[in-house]
Amino acid sequence: MPAPEYVLKLREKIGHDPLWLPGVRGVVFNDAGEILLGQRADNGRWALITGILEPGEEPASGLVREIEEETGVVVEVERLLDVVVNGPITFPNGDVCTFLSVEYRCRYVAGEARVNDDENLAVGWFSLDTLPDVGPSHLECVRRALSEDPVGFTSSEPRIRNGTLPH
């Protein structure tokens, strides 16, 4: 099911009006340095694996669950990349959502990449030089995953880093 049951129940009450939802997104690397992508069923675009958290679910474990549910791949979360706002997004059915997405770098542990639910048309591993056309926010997430920098917030707003505000 593309949306958790609690979101479907909310949609019964509010229709297509905007929702603010907690989300996760992962950059999964295998031992060959390839990245796991899914071709989304709702719009046909290739993307990193993403998902909506269930009420009370921890983001890292929610991402591990989403990746396995969608692709059959078991991963281990390596590190936090960023916390970003994605949206507003209008889905083909008219639903509008903005996601507060927690992004992680992950490594492949087990499983064969395959379409494992109805959210993707295809699933595959891609080298950095053969990535299909993915959206700019997904490319930026990949860039953060390749960086050795600590968590990099993308907002221009001041953020506390290492106990101090940036200058």
Side-chain angles (χ1 to χ4, degrees):
M1 177 188 328
E5 186 65 30
Y6 82 94
V7 173
L8 298 176
K9 287 182 180 181
L10 282 170
R11 286 287 176 209
E12 289 175 5
K13 295 175 182 167
I14 68 163
H16 299 299
D17 287 351
L19 277 178
W20 175 256
L21 295 171
V24 287
R25 175 163 50 184
V27 182
V28 180
F29 289 98
N30 64 15
D31 292 338
E34 298 168 316
I35 297 172
L36 181 65
L37 298 175
Q39 185 181 23
R40 296 177 57 97
D42 61 356
N43 63 17
R45 301 229 25 213
W46 286 93
L48 297 169
I49 307 305
T50 63
I52 299 171
L53 295 172
E54 297 287 342
E57 187 174 32
E58 292 289 335
S61 59
L63 178 61
V64 170
R65 174 189 55 77
E66 285 285 347
I67 291 169
E68 187 170 11
E69 283 178 2
E70 292 185 25
T71 70
V73 171
V74 177
V75 302
E76 179 178 275
V77 171
E78 291 183 321
R79 67 182 171 100
L80 175 68
L81 297 175
D82 209 344
V83 178
V84 299
V85 174
N86 300 113
I89 299 167
T90 301
F91 289 91
N93 69 353
D95 288 352
V96 179
C97 296
T98 299
F99 296 93
L100 179 64
S101 294
V102 183
E103 301 175 335
Y104 293 97
R105 177 186 166 118
C106 304
R107 71 172 184 82
Y108 168 85
V109 174
E112 184 176 331
R114 65 183 185 279
V115 174
N116 205 39
D117 66 7
D118 60 355
E119 291 187 48
N120 291 295
L121 302 172
V123 171
W125 294 100
F126 295 87
S127 65
L128 291 172
D129 57 350
T130 63
L131 287 178
D133 182 27
V134 297
S137 69
H138 289 254
L139 285 177
E140 182 61 25
C141 188
V142 170
R143 185 196 63 73
R144 285 191 292 275
L146 292 168
S147 170
E148 294 302 320
D149 291 340
V151 174
F153 294 100
T154 56
S155 170
S156 61
E157 295 296 314
R159 303 279 186 137
I160 296 176
R161 292 192 187 188
N162 301 324
T164 61
L165 286 172
H167 301 294

